[in-house]
């Protein structure tokens, strides 16, 4: 994950701010307030695909308690969700539906690829019906390795995402995708072909890794 | 449970004209199977289900098997006259096996609590004559499993009430569980211990690998 | 006021029913009953001239326990047609199993029914042991029974949590279920190093022995479990909403259940006494005293109740096994893990997983990997009669009926 500090993050003198807060006066910027609100109320889409979904449920239960981070409101409808946790193997039969769900989510929206399968196909990479990573069709913000990742790992990914949101600036060249005017919030949905998905990847999003050269 | 030979005799008595062959299983002789012919398969199945002594009321497992043509090399010792003396000479004989698809049914009895009785059906070949009689009218549990065998192996079950693809999508053209299925080339180059995958990935990215 | 059924009350106190039941049906009358013959559809008032409504429930739907899809045709609220659509989690276990060695297939079995990894392991190693003639030592057999029954507790507890969540009890029972699950998962984690994918069993034995203090901790967990079940039942079994929503809903008749190959708690809820722990007596199940609870009505409530009672029996088995477990080796000295090449032939092995009969069918050809690797999934075959159970019910009941079948999509689609 790439976190770029933006130039207008520190518009106020830190010393002054700290001095004021000691006297009970809290100052903030609109951007900070906006990001603070967004990052502490991420509503995930209630969307389990496979094994990782059980750990996602476990993370929302009493022991791990994802609500400490303001992300316990699992929404059944994509129209009400900010965060898609792709929890499990995405098969080729399921991939169009995953993209469609993402397209139906309102901006700003984020994607966590949870587990080896969502990242790359994982143990099922050789399978004929397994999509080799959801990042072929969707932009992924945080990847969590593991098979399945522990609930702590999901919480860590959530915190990483919160850091990312915190550092997003509202203006300037580093502003997030959804704030640009020609923002594209929808991605083409692949179709079922005779042998494979058509297209098998989104060429605008996914670039195959450069092959490693043997030393 | 009666022995396989007894069951074979009883089937042949009950269903006139039925041709039943015992297929030996070297690994586990108690799980040898009966090969049925197409014309009488449904009648035989009905007999196996309804006969009070057999009462195989539960078809547990139904699956397809792909048997492509293969060449079996066998070493045979042949007595031959060499220079007037008789001696044993090893000869390698080659024979081609028939190519066919197979449906295997594992039957149990819930009432009498015995089993398994394994019955098999074989198609004529793998290309166009892939029809088999469906046993779904006899055991309802075959419904989804026969659909699966159709989806993954391409076995056409005549008499099945709803023979559609079950796991893959409807427009899919291949039968992925067949041995000669080539899956779509969508691997990238990755340092992986799977030699086969590595080879395929190299093929996929030939220009880059060479540059 | 709807009352809970008397027969279960007496069953629990041990007055009536010894679990042997008359599970046998009339052998000659099992017909393959087709749903088109079943005339269950209620006629609604035609004068309104309403159209039928087609709804695709799933693959993303909060009630379908994963990526399952039901194409439902509704007449008002009544289901008149229901076609399940599978394959959204078809991960090609069987094809991958053909390319892997026998040993390398064990971690894949973990991911079949990902709530019950231990029993999946057992089903597979049981099949290979049948093929190769390996015999696990005494201690390994006991550990297998212990982990399998703990798995049964996890599965049934979580299932009931999900089921009552479908009925509208958002949160509380499921949260209790997951609280108890964590205790058992902790045991498994200290045993195998993973929370879900245990990869614990091996041909002719186990991967590693129990860590020190494990038995004591397991005894504590099991001792607390009966109390938890009392709480759980006090919360649910007499609850009027649960009774109203589940009694008489989704009735499955005995003959149809047998013909459709339904297994596990669903079959026994319809009154058929068929549990592989008693029928096949695999492992060392013949050494333990336990009963097989049987239902009478075959509705959702019976399926719920059978699972509760099975958990109580599992606790009994665990008590006995944890008290009797001997010291000793945990692996068959003849066992060969790497480069296992069984001689050509085929084998079908099956065990009673918490969801039903989980079987593996292997065809070997003398090479290091199986020629055919087939998994007989109880979840998929239990869904055969989903349409028959849902016809004529309301769409809200269809959700509960699906929940009572107890499916895990990893196993349905494989």
């Amino acid at each position: 994950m790439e976190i770029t500090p933006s130039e207008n993050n520190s518009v106020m003198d830190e010393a002054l701010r700290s001095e004021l807060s000691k006297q009970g006066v809290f100052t903030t910027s609109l951007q900070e307030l906006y990001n603070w609100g967004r990052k502490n109320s991420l509503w995930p889409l209630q969307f389990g695909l496979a094994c990782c979904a059980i750990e996602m449920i476990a993370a929302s239960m009493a022991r791990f308690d994802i609500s400490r981070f303001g992300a316990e409101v699992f929404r059944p409808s994509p129209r009400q969700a900010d965060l898609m946790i792709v929890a499990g193997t995405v098969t080729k039969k399921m991939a169009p539906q995953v993209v469609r769900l993402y397209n139906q989510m309102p901006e700003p929206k984020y994607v966590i690829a949870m587990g080896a399968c969502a990242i790359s196909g994982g143990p099922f990479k050789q399978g004929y019906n397994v999509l080799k990573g959801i990042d072929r069709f969707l932009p992924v913000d945080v990847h969590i390795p593991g098979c399945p990742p522990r609930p702590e790992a999901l919480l860590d990914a959530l915190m990483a995402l919160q850091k990312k949101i915190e550092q997003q600036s509202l203006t300037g060249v580093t502003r997030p995708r959804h704030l640009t005017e020609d923002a594209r919030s929808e991605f083409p949905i692949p179709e079922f072909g005779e042998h494979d998905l058509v297209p098998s990847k989104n060429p605008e999003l996914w670039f195959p890794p450069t092959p490693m050269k043997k030393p | 449970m009666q022995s396989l030979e007894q069951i074979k005799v009883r089937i042949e008595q009950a269903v006139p004209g039925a041709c039943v062959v015992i297929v030996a299983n070297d690994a586990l002789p108690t799980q040898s199977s009966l090969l049925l012919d197409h014309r009488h398969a449904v009648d035989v199945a009905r007999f196996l289900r309804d006969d009070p002594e057999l009462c195989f009321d539960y078809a547990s497992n139904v699956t397809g098997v792909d048997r492509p043509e293969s060449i079996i090399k066998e070493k045979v010792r042949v007595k031959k006259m060499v220079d007037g003396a008789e001696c044993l000479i090893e000869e390698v004989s080659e024979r081609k096996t028939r190519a066919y698809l197979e449906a295997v049914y594992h039957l149990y009895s819930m009432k009498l609590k015995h089993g398994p009785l394994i019955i098999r059906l074989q198609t004529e070949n793998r290309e166009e004559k892939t029809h088999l009689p469906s046993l779904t009218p006899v055991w309802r549990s075959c419904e989804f499993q026969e659909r699966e065998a159709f989806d993954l192996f391409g076995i056409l079950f005549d008499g099945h009430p709803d023979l559609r693809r079950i796991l893959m999508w409807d427009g899919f053209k291949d039968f992925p569980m067949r041995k000669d299925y080539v899956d779509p080339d969508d691997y990238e180059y990755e340092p992986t211990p799977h030699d086969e995958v590595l080879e395929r990935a190299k093929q996929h990215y030939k220009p880059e690998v060479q540059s | 006021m709807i009352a809970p059924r008397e027969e279960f009350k007496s069953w629990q106190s041990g007055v009536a029913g010894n679990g042997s039941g008359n599970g046998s049906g009339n052998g000659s009358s099992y017909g393959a009953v087709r749903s088109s013959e079943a005339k269950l559809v209620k006629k609604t008032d035609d004068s309104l001239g309403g159209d039928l409504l087609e709804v695709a429930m799933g693959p993303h739907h909060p009630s379908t326990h994963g990526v399952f899809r039901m194409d439902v045709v509704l007449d008002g609220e009544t289901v008149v047609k229901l076609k399940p659509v599978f394959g959204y989690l078809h991960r090609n276990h069987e094809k991958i199993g053909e390319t892997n060695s026998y040993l390398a297939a064990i971690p894949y079995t973990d991911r079949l029914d990902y709530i019950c990894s231990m029993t999946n392991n057992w089903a597979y190693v049981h099949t290979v042991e049948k093929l190769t003639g390996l015999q696990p030592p005494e201690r390994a057999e006991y550990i297998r029974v212990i982990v399998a029954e703990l798995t049964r507790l996890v599965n049934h507890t979580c299932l009931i949590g999900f089921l009552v969540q479908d009925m509208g009890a958002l949160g509380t029972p499921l949260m209790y279920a997951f609280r108890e699950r964590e205790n058992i998962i902790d045991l498994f984690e200290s045993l195998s190093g993973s929370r879900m994918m245990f990869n614990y069993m091996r041909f002719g034995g186990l991967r590693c022995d129990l860590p020190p203090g494990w038995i004591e901790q397991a005894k504590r967990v099991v001792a607390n479990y009966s109390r938890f079940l009392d709480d759980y039942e006090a919360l649910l079994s007499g609850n009027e909403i649960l009774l109203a929503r589940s009694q008489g809903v989704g009735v499955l008749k005995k003959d149809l259940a047998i013909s459709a190959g339904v297994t596990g708690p669903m079959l026994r809820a319809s009154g058929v006494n068929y549990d592989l722990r008693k029928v096949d007596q695999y492992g060392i199940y013949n050494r333990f005293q336990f009963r097989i609870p049987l239902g009478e009505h075959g509705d959702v409530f019976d399926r719920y109740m059978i699972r509760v009672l099975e958990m109580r029996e599992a606790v009994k088995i665990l008590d006995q096994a944890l008290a009797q477990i001997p010291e000793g080796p945990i692996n068959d000295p003849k066992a060969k893990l790497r480069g296992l090449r069984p001689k050509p032939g085929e084998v079908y092995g099956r065990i009673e997983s918490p969801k039903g009969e989980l079987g593996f069918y292997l065809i070997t050809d003398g090479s290091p990997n199986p020629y055919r690797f087939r998994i007989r999934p109880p979840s998929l075959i239990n869904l055969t009669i989903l349409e028959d159970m849902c016809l004529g019910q309301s769409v809200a009941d269809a959700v509960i009926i699906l929940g009572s079948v107890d499916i895990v999509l990893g196993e349905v689609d494989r």
Side-chain angles (χ1 to χ4, degrees):
Chain A
M1 191 188 72
E2 206 177 321
I3 299 172
T4 44
S6 68
E7 64 276 17
N8 44 2
N9 229 2
S10 52
V11 281
M12 202 170 168
D13 182 32
E14 279 301 318
L16 175 62
R17 172 192 287 211
S18 137
E19 188 59 38
L20 280 172
S21 75
K22 278 177 198 157
Q23 294 168 22
V25 180
F26 292 93
T27 53
T28 186
S29 63
L30 181 64
Q31 173 183 312
E32 275 170 1
L33 191 65
Y34 181 76
N35 283 344
W36 172 82
R38 285 201 303 142
K39 83 168 195 189
N40 286 310
S41 142
L42 281 168
W43 287 12
L45 181 59
Q46 184 183 351
F47 175 55
L49 288 171
C51 331
C52 294
I54 304 293
E55 288 295 62
M56 187 172 81
I57 297 168
S60 69
M61 291 294 157
R63 186 176 190 177
F64 298 99
D65 195 9
I66 204 170
S67 55
R68 290 177 291 160
F69 305 93
E72 83 281 20
V73 193
F74 281 86
R75 303 310 297 177
S77 165
R79 305 277 183 204
Q80 305 162 348
D82 312 308
L83 167 65
M84 178 187 249
I85 302 174
V86 185
T89 318
V90 187
T91 59
K92 286 177 184 169
K93 192 165 177 177
M94 190 65 198
Q97 275 76 322
V98 177
V99 179
R100 192 170 283 124
L101 283 171
Y102 179 84
N103 288 350
Q104 289 174 353
M105 283 163 62
E107 287 280 11
K109 51 190 170 186
Y110 303 93
V111 178
I112 291 179
M114 182 179 182
C117 293
I119 296 174
S120 72
F124 302 99
K125 186 156 185 153
Q126 301 162 60
Y128 50 84
N129 190 29
V130 175
L131 187 71
K132 279 88 187 164
I134 189 61
D135 47 1
R136 273 153 210 255
F137 289 112
L138 296 180
V140 178
D141 295 278
V142 185
H143 295 86
I144 327 172
C147 188
R150 298 176 63 92
E152 292 96 321
L154 180 61
L155 298 181
D156 185 55
L158 190 68
M159 284 153 75
L161 184 65
Q162 288 180 336
K163 270 187 205 137
K164 183 174 180 170
I165 294 171
E166 199 176 16
Q167 304 199 356
Q168 282 181 338
S169 57
L170 299 184
T171 50
V173 281
T174 55
R175 68 187 186 277
R177 186 191 68 234
H178 69 274
L179 289 175
T180 49
E181 277 197 3
D182 52 346
R184 188 159 163 207
S185 64
E186 295 194 359
F187 289 94
I189 296 165
E191 282 172 15
F192 295 133
E194 292 183 354
H195 308 286
D196 196 1
L197 288 177
V198 184
S200 66
K201 54 180 176 269
N202 186 347
E204 292 170 30
L205 270 181
W206 166 258
F207 309 101
T210 41
M212 289 168 69
K213 290 202 176 75
K214 280 188 180 166
Chain B
M1 197 176 94
Q2 295 167 332
S3 76
L4 219 53
E5 286 76 17
Q6 286 170 317
I7 294 175
K8 174 177 150 65
V9 171
R10 293 207 49 206
I11 292 174
E12 282 164 350
Q13 282 169 354
V15 186
C19 171
V20 183
V21 182
I22 295 180
V23 182
N25 178 1
D26 295 332
L28 201 67
T30 52
Q31 289 197 358
S32 297
S33 46
L34 295 174
L35 175 64
L36 307 182
D37 63 325
H38 297 190
R39 270 185 56 205
H40 301 93
V42 177
D43 290 337
V44 172
R46 214 162 255 140
F47 166 72
L48 291 173
R49 184 190 74 188
D50 295 339
D51 185 78
E53 281 174 52
L54 299 172
C55 192
F56 287 105
D57 47 15
Y58 165 42
S60 164
N61 178 41
V62 182
T63 183
V65 184
D66 182 24
R67 305 275 191 183
E69 192 181 80
S70 64
I71 294 165
I72 294 180
K73 286 184 181 175
E74 280 175 336
K75 280 183 183 170
V76 190
R77 292 195 166 187
V78 193
K79 276 183 188 176
K80 268 191 178 174
M81 297 294 281
V82 181
D83 303 332
E86 196 178 290
C87 56
L88 285 170
I89 290 178
E90 275 197 356
E91 276 189 0
V92 178
S93 70
E94 284 187 4
R95 66 186 171 89
K96 275 188 185 171
T97 57
R98 192 167 68 87
Y100 57 91
L101 299 165
E102 200 173 28
V104 186
Y105 297 75
H106 287 75
L107 311 179
Y108 287 86
S109 172
M110 280 195 187
K111 187 181 180 191
L112 304 175
K113 302 203 169 36
H114 62 214
L117 177 74
I118 305 161
I119 57 176
R120 322 177 85 90
L121 296 166
Q122 293 179 353
T123 63
E124 281 179 54
N125 59 27
R126 293 171 74 241
E127 284 79 37
E128 75 280 3
K129 291 188 173 171
T130 57
H131 288 264
L132 287 181
S134 166
L135 299 187
T136 307
V138 187
W139 294 288
R140 182 78 191 280
S141 60
C142 304
E143 185 179 340
F144 286 167
Q145 304 189 70
E146 283 183 349
R147 262 178 82 183
E148 193 184 309
F150 160 71
D151 187 357
L152 304 181
F153 290 92
I155 304 172
L156 294 159
F157 288 95
D158 297 329
H160 190 284
D162 186 20
L163 198 64
R164 289 175 295 136
R165 284 200 178 262
I166 183 168
L167 294 175
M168 304 303 287
W169 54 87
D170 283 332
F172 198 69
K173 283 278 180 337
D174 307 323
F175 301 113
M177 279 300 285
R178 289 199 186 186
K179 293 282 177 187
D180 50 4
Y181 169 71
V182 184
D183 51 332
D185 200 4
D186 51 2
Y187 284 116
E188 275 76 35
Y189 189 97
E190 275 181 23
T192 159
H194 294 285
D195 294 344
E196 209 180 307
V197 177
L198 197 64
E199 279 309 308
R200 281 182 50 161
K202 278 181 187 166
Q203 288 291 319
H204 198 52
Y205 286 101
K206 223 162 192 171
E208 283 97 332
V209 171
Q210 280 166 353
S211 63
Chain C
M1 174 76 192
I2 307 158
R5 289 193 179 131
E6 287 302 319
E7 67 251 24
F8 288 118
K9 277 188 185 166
S10 56
W11 201 93
Q12 262 171 308
S13 55
V15 178
N18 55 5
S20 57
N22 57 338
S24 50
N26 181 358
S28 56
S29 69
Y30 306 147
V33 187
R34 291 232 43 84
S35 49
S36 54
E37 294 165 16
K39 294 272 182 276
L40 289 164
V41 184
K42 262 192 287 185
K43 286 302 275 182
T44 49
D45 187 4
D46 282 340
S47 61
L48 293 172
D51 288 333
L52 295 179
L53 180 68
E54 288 182 36
V55 185
M57 286 176 74
H60 164 248
H61 190 277
S63 76
T64 53
H65 299 251
V67 281
F68 179 65
R69 176 171 149 203
M70 298 188 278
D71 282 350
V72 200
V73 180
L74 300 174
D75 182 357
E77 283 278 309
T78 313
V79 177
V80 293
K81 193 178 163 198
L82 186 150
K83 288 286 169 215
V85 182
F86 307 95
Y88 292 102
L89 196 53
H90 179 43
R91 299 193 281 195
N92 328 122
H93 276 275
E94 295 186 359
K95 190 81 178 175
I96 293 172
E98 286 178 9
T99 61
N100 277 340
S101 69
Y102 287 89
L103 180 66
I106 296 178
Y108 281 94
T109 63
D110 285 335
R111 287 157 181 82
L112 275 174
D113 171 358
Y114 34 78
I115 297 181
C116 315
S117 300
M118 284 291 188
T119 44
N120 300 345
N121 276 188
W122 195 3
Y124 177 64
V125 298
H126 170 74
T127 308
V128 177
E129 278 161 10
K130 220 171 169 178
L131 184 70
T132 51
L134 293 170
Q135 182 62 43
E138 192 92 327
R139 185 174 170 84
E141 294 275 30
Y142 270 95
I143 297 175
R144 283 183 183 185
V145 169
I146 292 167
V147 295
E149 294 305 316
L150 286 172
T151 305
R152 208 176 303 278
L153 292 180
V154 171
N155 180 68
H156 288 356
T157 316
C158 290
L159 171 87
I160 291 171
F162 285 122
L163 177 62
V164 293
Q165 191 177 34
D166 288 344
M167 294 181 193
L170 288 171
T172 312
L174 188 62
M175 213 169 266
Y176 283 4
F178 268 74
R179 187 190 66 196
E180 295 306 310
R181 175 180 178 266
E182 291 291 341
N183 292 339
I184 295 175
I185 294 293
D186 281 349
L187 282 173
F188 287 162
E189 193 183 352
S190 65
L191 199 58
S192 69
S194 172
R195 271 171 59 86
M196 279 176 76
M197 306 304 171
F198 308 121
N199 185 15
Y200 181 57
M201 296 191 191
R202 291 289 181 269
F203 314 133
L206 305 166
R207 196 180 71 205
C208 51
D209 206 345
L210 301 177
W214 195 88
I215 299 272
E216 287 67 38
Q217 204 196 333
K219 278 181 181 163
R220 272 199 298 278
V221 170
V222 172
N224 284 335
Y225 221 88
S226 313
R227 208 161 61 215
F228 159 70
L229 286 176
D230 291 342
D231 285 354
Y232 216 37
E233 273 210 84
L235 184 67
L236 298 174
S237 291
N239 183 295
E240 192 162 348
I241 297 175
L242 188 139
L243 298 175
R245 291 294 305 272
S246 65
Q247 292 197 351
V249 172
V251 176
L252 176 62
K253 290 274 174 260
K254 196 190 259 187
D255 290 355
L256 182 58
I258 293 174
S259 171
V262 171
T263 45
M266 250 190 104
L267 177 73
R268 294 190 283 277
S270 294
V272 184
N273 184 11
Y274 196 74
D275 187 318
L276 298 183
R277 291 176 293 173
K278 291 276 192 198
V279 174
D280 283 5
Q281 304 208 331
Y282 61 93
I284 48 164
Y285 272 110
N286 52 357
R287 297 188 193 177
F288 304 114
Q289 294 286 323
F290 65 101
R291 301 186 293 172
I292 307 295
L294 295 179
E296 210 169 277
H297 305 259
D299 56 5
V300 173
F301 182 76
D302 274 12
R303 277 171 227 145
Y304 157 78
M305 208 60 213
I306 292 296
R307 289 191 173 102
V308 172
L309 296 175
E310 270 192 14
M311 283 196 279
R312 295 204 181 267
E313 294 302 311
V315 169
K316 278 187 207 163
I317 297 176
L318 281 167
D319 282 340
Q320 297 169 50
L322 286 167
Q324 295 168 12
I325 181 167
E327 290 295 320
I330 53 153
N331 274 305
D332 186 342
K334 292 198 295 291
K336 185 184 172 193
L337 296 179
R338 286 168 197 283
L340 182 74
R341 287 167 182 260
K343 65 178 178 179
E346 59 177 53
V347 63
Y348 178 68
R350 54 178 196 162
I351 69 160
E352 182 77 27
S353 91
K355 297 195 165 50
E357 173 185 327
L358 176 63
F360 280 84
Y361 174 57
L362 302 174
I363 299 184
T364 58
D365 59 352
S367 62
N369 44 333
Y371 182 82
R372 175 86 175 94
F373 181 88
R374 152 83 179 167
I375 302 147
R376 189 259 184 215
S379 299
L380 171 71
I381 296 161
N382 287 357
L383 284 175
T384 310
I385 31 69
L386 182 67
E387 182 177 19
D388 303 47
M389 290 193 291
C390 291
L391 286 182
Q393 309 274 357
S394 80
V395 64
D397 288 339
V399 170
I400 294 170
I401 294 166
L402 176 70
S404 74
V405 177
D406 189 9
I407 57 166
V408 160
L409 264 293
E411 190 177 72
V412 172
D413 294 340
R414 285 154 294 135

